[in-house]
Amino acid sequence: MSEQWDLDADVVIAGTGGAGLAAAIEARRAGATVLMLDCDESFGGASVISGGGCFMVNTPLQAQHGIEDSIEAAYEDWLAWGGDTVDREWARVYIERSRPDLYDWFEAMGVRWTKLKRQEGNRVLRWHQSPGGGREVTTTLYDEARRLGVTRWLWRTAADELIMADGRVAGLAAHDLDSGATLTIRARAVVMATGGFMSDEAMVYRHNPRLRGVPILLAAGSHATGSGHCLIERAGGLLTHMDAMWIYAYGTPDYRDPAGKRGILVREIRGSVWVNAQGRRFHNEGRQGPATATPALLAQSPPRAWAILDGPMIDGLELAHPSFRSGVTPDRALVRAYLEASPFVHFAPTLPALAEAMRVPAETFVDTIERYNTAIREGRSHDPDQQKPLAGMRPLDAPPFVAITFMPTTRKNLGGVKTTLRCEVVRPGGAPIPGLYAAGELAGMAGGHINGARGLEGTMLGPAIFSGRVAGQWAARAAVSQ
């Protein structure tokens, strides 16, 4: 029989990614005692492996770049991109609060937003990033939570069931993943921020039958297995829009995974060219988001591709995983070593030799790359084959030439646990479950489906942290009022 522990706190938070950490900060600032638990051995969840980009409107950084933006314009773009299933209330609140509740809030904790990037679906640049990306953002949240007095962290601990008493949530039953010890954690409010389900292949296929039979890689957080969704559903909570998923085209197999299931996203490759198994380009590589690039990739036979780079491009490439950073700075030596060791990456001194390594028709492949290079040398505004904008692009002509395998790669679920604007979990009839709150990817980033069918980039991490703040504030209010 395993050992049993009994603990208590005003607010218990399951999950220490961006949403859970933001909830902890707000709960402590409201005077609540906080206890954190996580399946992992350290903080971060999916946030720490993200690019760290947040969709924000009317910011000082936009003003510095001469960008005129507005709440109305951002809201219009959001609705046009996400479609009829956008949660309009949540989207509007997030857009209106993104400047004070994210941009200014993080700057007060020492984060400096320094980079703007154009992303699909936006009429102006709204994707903001700090130099250290997701690592810096998440570390800042963790340090702030500890500074405020969040001292109880239960690592390698999984939430099993919600404890009910007098019609409200009164705590969590959990267990230690290493010792097997069971825990009863009494609480006045529980915030669930356990992340998504995109690392559970069976759950992905079950909720999105269109993907059945398609080989996919898993690149969400390693503990994003949907455990929180199942727990809340057992407690009577409503799940919504579970088929809405964000699957990237630029993931490469992680050769270090013995199961052969995990992938790593390859970033900062705007100048690359993508070819299919027939050695031909099939997509405008300037549009790499899941709404456009992933459908194009899935239409190929087989549904995979090669990203073609040359020597100078390798130095700017990033792999979206903390193990390839030294602190918050990309470790170029580690990235290069990984690429050279991967059987899914090929280096060659010439384009014909690269085609041979890729096992694609050499004549077709070389002609494809040369047509692209010629368009750049001739000064064309767009390439003739895929209409990719060529401003700032350089020919792929400096060896070594590199080919990186790309496959459809899971990252985020856009649906999840349905909540009120206070992040209260609701039952199928719409009534809140007293004492229970959900935030982050577990709640489809915020509310259950803030993005609808498609998300503008930066509308995952930003709303996840924002909803964590909201959940922490209201959970603390509910806890201290008892």
Side-chain angles (χ1 to χ4, degrees):
M1 185 174 179
S2 62
E3 179 185 2
Q4 181 165 340
W5 306 346
D6 289 313
L7 301 168
D8 66 86
D10 291 333
V11 178
V12 171
I13 301 172
T16 63
L21 292 171
I25 290 170
E26 293 303 329
R28 275 300 300 144
R29 286 180 175 173
T33 60
V34 175
L35 184 149
M36 307 288 291
L37 64 145
D38 198 289
C39 290
D40 215 335
E41 59 191 16
S42 184
F43 68 93
S47 301
V48 77
I49 62 174
S50 74
C54 292
F55 176 107
M56 295 183 283
V57 183
N58 283 341
T59 67
L61 186 59
Q62 286 180 308
Q64 290 172 24
H65 287 266
I67 296 171
E68 294 185 6
D69 202 2
S70 71
I71 301 298
E72 292 303 325
Y75 186 58
E76 288 172 6
D77 288 352
W78 193 301
L79 295 183
W81 194 249
D84 294 339
T85 56
V86 169
D87 186 319
R88 291 171 178 251
E89 282 190 301
W90 262 105
R92 183 81 192 198
V93 169
Y94 172 76
I95 291 168
E96 291 176 346
R97 302 301 305 171
S98 62
R99 158 73 191 277
D101 288 359
L102 283 180
Y103 191 99
D104 296 345
W105 188 66
F106 269 112
E107 283 214 328
M109 291 186 284
V111 171
R112 293 292 175 263
W113 304 104
T114 59
K115 184 175 183 180
L116 282 169
K117 183 184 289 186
R118 183 171 299 280
Q119 298 286 7
E120 295 177 40
N122 290 285
R123 68 186 73 181
V124 299
L125 280 68
R126 299 188 178 109
W127 191 89
H128 295 63
Q129 187 184 41
S130 66
R135 181 82 174 191
E136 179 181 1
V137 166
T138 313
T139 301
T140 297
L141 294 174
Y142 176 70
D143 290 344
E144 180 68 4
R146 291 184 62 87
R147 186 188 71 79
L148 290 169
V150 180
T151 58
R152 293 188 290 175
W153 305 79
L154 302 180
W155 304 113
R156 298 283 298 155
T157 302
D160 297 323
E161 296 293 339
L162 290 160
I163 299 170
M164 306 294 293
D166 300 323
R168 65 176 293 114
V169 170
L172 272 178
H175 74 280
D176 185 292
L177 291 169
D178 296 318
S179 69
T182 58
L183 297 79
T184 300
I185 309 171
R186 293 178 293 274
R188 294 170 180 81
V190 173
V191 176
M192 296 294 294
T194 51
F197 61 83
M198 298 296 276
S199 279
D200 187 304
E201 188 178 48
M203 202 165 175
V204 169
Y205 289 139
R206 181 167 71 253
H207 289 291
N208 195 335
R210 292 171 297 175
L211 292 174
R212 287 177 182 166
V214 177
I216 57 175
L217 299 174
L218 308 175
S222 59
H223 293 285
T225 59
S227 60
H229 296 79
C230 298
L231 186 155
I232 288 178
E233 193 172 33
R234 288 195 300 271
L238 174 64
L239 303 184
T240 185
H241 298 78
M242 292 289 281
D243 62 334
M245 302 176 186
W246 218 220
I247 297 174
Y248 286 91
Y250 48 87
T252 194
D254 188 347
Y255 72 91
R256 303 169 302 179
D257 176 28
K261 295 290 187 181
R262 301 293 299 175
I264 295 179
L265 296 184
V266 184
R267 300 187 184 275
E268 303 301 328
I269 51 168
R270 290 289 179 180
S272 64
V273 165
W274 299 0
V275 300
N276 57 21
Q278 292 73 45
R280 296 186 176 91
R281 290 176 68 213
F282 59 91
H283 181 62
N284 171 359
E285 301 90 357
R287 306 185 70 190
Q288 298 186 4
T292 52
T294 302
L297 180 62
L298 291 173
Q300 303 310 301
S301 181
R304 63 175 63 202
W306 296 96
I308 310 303
L309 303 81
D310 68 357
M313 290 185 64
I314 302 171
D315 293 333
L317 179 154
E318 293 186 16
L319 298 176
H321 194 278
S323 62
F324 297 101
R325 287 183 175 270
S326 177
V328 298
T329 305
D331 191 317
R332 303 298 181 191
L334 287 177
V335 171
R336 182 66 180 248
Y338 177 90
L339 295 175
E340 292 178 347
S342 174
F344 303 101
V345 179
H346 298 301
F347 289 75
T350 65
L351 289 173
L354 188 64
E356 182 178 357
M358 297 159 58
R359 297 184 180 179
V360 301
E363 184 175 348
T364 301
F365 172 70
V366 173
D367 179 67
T368 294
I369 303 303
E370 286 304 326
R371 281 175 58 83
Y372 174 79
N373 287 344
T374 297
I376 295 174
R377 294 185 183 113
E378 291 177 348
R380 297 196 184 190
S381 61
H382 294 75
D383 83 79
D385 294 328
Q386 298 297 333
Q387 295 302 302
K388 174 182 177 180
L390 297 179
M393 297 293 144
R394 44 170 295 280
L396 299 174
D397 57 6
F401 298 98
V402 184
I404 304 175
T405 303
F406 276 0
M407 293 175 60
T409 305
T410 68
R411 191 62 163 183
K412 306 153 187 170
N413 50 265
L414 301 184
V417 176
K418 181 67 175 173
T419 78
T420 68
L421 288 174
R422 296 179 176 183
C423 288
E424 301 161 300
V425 175
V426 301
R427 301 182 188 277
I433 299 175
L436 181 59
Y437 301 81
E441 193 172 353
L442 172 66
M445 311 307 163
H449 55 111
I450 187 173
N451 283 295
R454 305 190 301 179
L456 297 164
E457 293 298 315
T459 63
M460 289 76 170
L461 181 62
I465 293 172
F466 175 73
S467 66
R469 292 195 65 192
V470 173
Q473 290 164 2
W474 285 101
R477 187 174 300 190
V480 299
S481 66
Q482 291 185 55

